[in-house]
């Protein structure tokens, strides 16, 4: 398990190239299972989550051909997925436990091949993460579903049937799964209270390019007119708003100036508003935005995480790190996940002043300085928050268990080094 060592104190200056969005790539890769023609996906980030999903698709019988290419000023991956006929309809425990978004094979395999066995992913560090919406929606579309030995075993006779479905929560995962399932269903499916995240709109674009007929992108009511067959396509995925938001905080917290190249500012309104209210200058430029906090005094701002277009839960930890060293107090409320404050004790070990109230709220009172410490990554976004704290702490911080970061931040040390951070990966042999 590698470690990351950071020596704090350097303001960050320069450019960070933002990569393709992990949370778009994952469902879009699985959408390739809906056709027996090749599907080429451009702008896939180099991340361990992508490798894990590719490993699952390989064992389902998908042929995968990857090439690296320069796009939009930096190195990206283009991968072609070709599933002529799956050799297995089972997503085993060993794959799903490594990468829970493996559950995106559920909708495509069931609707196209009539059967699927998916290991239930179980909870994770940030919450229980149930799948009831995915499963009950498929049942409403006519699937027979049983839970056996930790697996979801789903079958259909003929095709899934269109249905009118209302989600009790605007789940990103369930919206993607049911969109993919309904694309090949018989008849029309309507999803009410669907998630509106940009990653979903990108999936809808891609499915429509494959021959699906989906209306309502960017709204909470999606109408999917089922078709009999989908075909191959080429699709370039959108860039990662969460990665962009994370580096935006790095610029602000270090009182530097960073240009986020290829960053989708249009999907970051809520977090960029908070950064501006904190006192950083945020300027939208062609193909990205800049964050400038040189000589700025930063003030704490309240944050309430919510479904898109609200403030993303996936930026809560990073913004909390910023509030730790801002003037005044900030109330951080997490409304999506029931256990997403695990970074708090680690930040407190570095001198942060945070009081957690129940599961959902924390008061952060800004301190003048954090002090370096060995800390432990608990999940992907929390790990980045600890790096941010390390960038402004006195001395040398080591962040342990960095495999979390490798899941979701492409070439992290290289990107940080390029803007002047004193950061290094310490390889620990297995
Ligand atoms: C996705 C993101 C994750 C992000 C989250 C919320 C991916 C791979 N992951 O996760 O980074 O934090 O969206 O923006 O894209 N829920 C149910 N029943 C269900 C499904 C969800 O009650 O069947 C609840 C969850 O407990 C949670 C809320 O709905 O409270 C949102 O979960 P969901 O949007 O499904 O998150 P993921 O898609 O797993």
């Amino acid at each position: 398990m590698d470690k990351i060592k950071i020596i704090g104190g350097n303001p960050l200056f320069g450019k960070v190239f933002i990569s393709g969005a992990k949370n778009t790539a994952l469902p879009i890769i699985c959408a390739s299972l809906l056709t027996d023609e090749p599907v080429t996906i451009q702008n896939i980030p180099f991340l361990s989550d992508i490798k894990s999903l590719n490993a699952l698709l390989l064992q389902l019988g998908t042929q995968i051909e990857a090439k690296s290419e320069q796009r939009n000023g930096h190195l990206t991956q283009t991968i072609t997925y070709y599933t002529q006929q799956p050799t297995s309809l089972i997503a085993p425990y060993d794959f799903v436990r490594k990468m829970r978004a493996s559950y995106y094979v559920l909708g495509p395999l069931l609707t196209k091949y009539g059967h699927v066995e998916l290991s239930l992913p179980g909870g994770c560090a940030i919450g229980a993460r149930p799948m009831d919406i995915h499963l009950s929606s498929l049942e409403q579309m006519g699937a027979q579903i049983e839970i056996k030995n930790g697996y979801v075993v789903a079958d259909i006779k003929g095709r899934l049937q269109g249905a009118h479905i209302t989600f009790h929560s605007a789940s990103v995962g369930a919206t993607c799964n049911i969109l993919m399932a309904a694309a090949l269903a018989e008849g029309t499916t309507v999803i009410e209270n669907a998630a509106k995240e940009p990653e979903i709109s990108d999936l809808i674009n891609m499915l429509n390019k494959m021959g699906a007929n989906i209306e309502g992108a960017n709204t909470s009511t999606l109408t999917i007119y089922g078709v009999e067959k989908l075909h191959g396509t080429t699709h370039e995925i959108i860039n990662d708003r969460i990665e962009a938001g994370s580096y935006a905080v790095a610029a602000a917290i270090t009182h530097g100036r960073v240009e986020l190249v290829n960053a989708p500012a249009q999907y970051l309104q809520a977090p960029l508003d908070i950064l501006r209210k904190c006192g950083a200058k945020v300027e939208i430029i062609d193909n990205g935005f800049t964050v400038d906090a040189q000589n700025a005094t930063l003030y704490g701002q309240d944050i309430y995480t919510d479904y898109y277009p609200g403030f993303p839960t996936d930026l809560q930890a990073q913004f909390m790190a910023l509030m730790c060293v801002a003037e005044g107090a900030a109330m951080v409320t997490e409304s999506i996940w029931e256990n997403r404050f695990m970074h708090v004790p680690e930040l407190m070990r570095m001198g942060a002043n945070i009081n957690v109230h129940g599961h959902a709220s924390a008061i952060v009172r800004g301190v003048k300085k954090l002090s370096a410490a060995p800390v432990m990554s608990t999940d992907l976004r929390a790990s980045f928050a600890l790096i941010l704290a390390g960038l402004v702490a006195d001395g040398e911080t080591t962040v342990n268990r960095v495999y979390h970061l490798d899941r979701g931040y492409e070439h992290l040390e290289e990107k940080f080094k390029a803007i002047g951070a004193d950061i290094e990966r310490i390889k620990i042999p297995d």
Side-chain angles (χ1 to χ4, degrees):
M1 287 192 199
D2 296 353
K3 296 177 183 190
I4 295 223
K5 185 179 96 179
I6 307 137
I7 298 176
N10 294 1
L12 303 181
F13 288 98
K15 291 183 183 185
V16 175
F17 283 84
I18 299 305
S19 306
K22 167 178 91 73
N23 288 352
T24 308
L26 297 171
I28 277 184
I29 289 171
C30 293
S32 73
L33 294 167
L34 290 163
T35 175
D36 42 28
E37 296 177 16
V39 172
T40 298
I41 306 168
Q42 297 161 327
N43 200 29
I44 296 189
F46 295 91
L47 295 173
S48 66
D49 267 9
I50 302 292
K51 283 192 193 152
S52 304
L53 186 59
N54 283 350
L56 171 60
L57 263 69
L58 277 175
Q59 84 91 44
L60 296 176
T62 303
Q63 291 171 41
I64 300 180
E65 210 183 287
K67 61 173 193 235
S68 304
E69 57 181 358
Q70 285 288 332
R71 290 183 81 77
N72 308 324
H74 75 133
L75 194 67
T76 68
Q77 268 187 111
T78 294
I79 308 186
T80 299
Y81 296 87
Y82 182 21
T83 315
Q84 225 176 350
Q85 179 62 47
T87 47
S88 162
L89 296 174
I90 303 173
Y93 178 63
D94 269 351
F95 291 87
V96 184
R97 82 180 161 81
K98 276 198 202 126
M99 219 279 294
R100 53 177 306 114
S102 304
Y103 64 41
Y104 282 136
V105 303
L106 176 66
L109 290 180
L110 183 64
T111 197
K112 180 142 175 69
Y113 298 102
H115 176 81
V116 57
E117 297 177 32
L118 168 82
S119 171
L120 272 168
C124 82
I126 62 175
R129 308 195 79 163
M131 282 195 69
D132 58 301
I133 305 175
H134 307 236
L135 302 185
S136 70
S137 303
L138 291 171
E139 280 176 335
Q140 288 173 66
M141 297 174 76
Q144 279 106 49
I145 296 184
E146 264 189 287
I147 308 294
K148 260 197 227 160
N149 308 115
Y151 279 68
V152 175
V153 181
D155 285 285
I156 48 174
K157 290 196 187 83
R159 287 166 70 191
L160 281 168
Q161 299 298 306
H164 197 116
I165 301 164
T166 303
F167 287 177
H168 67 71
S169 300
S171 158
V172 172
T175 305
C176 293
N177 241 333
I178 302 312
L179 271 171
M180 293 190 277
L184 285 180
E186 192 166 15
T188 302
T189 301
V190 177
I191 308 174
E192 307 264 17
N193 195 26
K196 292 186 287 199
E197 270 67 1
E199 292 74 27
I200 288 167
S201 307
D202 204 23
L203 173 65
I204 293 175
N205 282 341
M206 146 101 166
L207 290 170
N208 282 341
K209 283 205 248 174
M210 292 171 74
N213 186 355
I214 302 171
E215 287 174 1
N218 310 316
T219 77
S220 53
T221 303
L222 300 175
T223 306
I224 307 108
Y225 304 96
V227 297
E228 274 183 29
K229 202 170 170 359
L230 294 173
H231 52 75
T233 192
T234 296
H235 184 78
E236 177 173 354
I237 60 166
I238 58 172
N239 282 326
D240 198 315
R241 65 191 167 106
I242 303 300
E243 189 198 25
S246 303
Y247 283 101
V249 179
I253 199 170
T254 63
H255 292 271
R257 184 185 184 282
V258 176
E259 181 177 332
L260 289 312
V261 185
N262 304 332
Q266 70 276 27
Y267 304 141
L268 281 164
Q269 265 179 22
L272 295 187
D273 277 354
I274 298 276
L275 271 187
R276 286 191 181 103
K277 282 188 193 155
C278 284
K281 248 189 258 161
V282 177
E283 206 182 319
I284 311 298
I285 53 169
D286 272 357
N287 207 19
F289 64 93
T290 57
V291 177
D292 186 350
Q294 298 170 87
N295 308 315
T297 303
L298 298 174
Y299 296 94
Q301 292 297 324
D302 292 352
I303 291 169
Y304 180 91
T305 68
D306 210 344
Y307 300 106
Y308 187 81
F311 187 97
T313 170
D314 288 352
L315 285 175
Q316 180 256 105
Q318 300 88 317
F319 273 73
M320 186 187 279
L322 176 64
M323 301 314 164
C324 288
V325 288
E327 297 256 326
M331 165 118 132
V332 178
T333 306
E334 172 58 54
S335 85
I336 306 290
W337 299 113
E338 62 274 25
N339 191 28
R340 206 167 198 181
F341 283 143
M342 280 165 312
H343 40 285
V344 168
E346 298 301 302
L347 290 170
M348 288 174 71
R349 295 187 59 249
M350 298 177 74
N353 180 350
I354 308 171
N355 252 318
V356 176
H357 298 258
H359 290 296
S361 292
I363 286 280
V364 185
R365 293 185 174 86
V367 296
K368 287 266 170 282
K369 202 78 202 146
L370 295 174
S371 63
V375 285
M376 190 69 83
S377 283
T378 48
D379 68 75
L380 169 57
R381 308 302 171 186
S383 311
F384 200 97
L386 298 176
I387 301 238
L388 292 170
L391 287 171
V392 292
D394 269 339
E396 179 181 311
T397 295
T398 41
V399 181
N400 293 286
R401 285 202 195 153
V402 296
Y403 60 86
H404 288 295
L405 284 164
D406 296 332
R407 287 187 38 228
Y409 288 99
E410 178 184 278
H411 302 145
L412 177 112
E413 308 95 87
E414 289 84 341
K415 289 190 186 190
F416 266 126
K417 275 187 186 152
I419 50 176
D422 191 339
I423 187 167
E424 198 182 324
R425 177 178 293 245
I426 304 167
K427 291 254 174 223
I428 311 280
D430 289 338

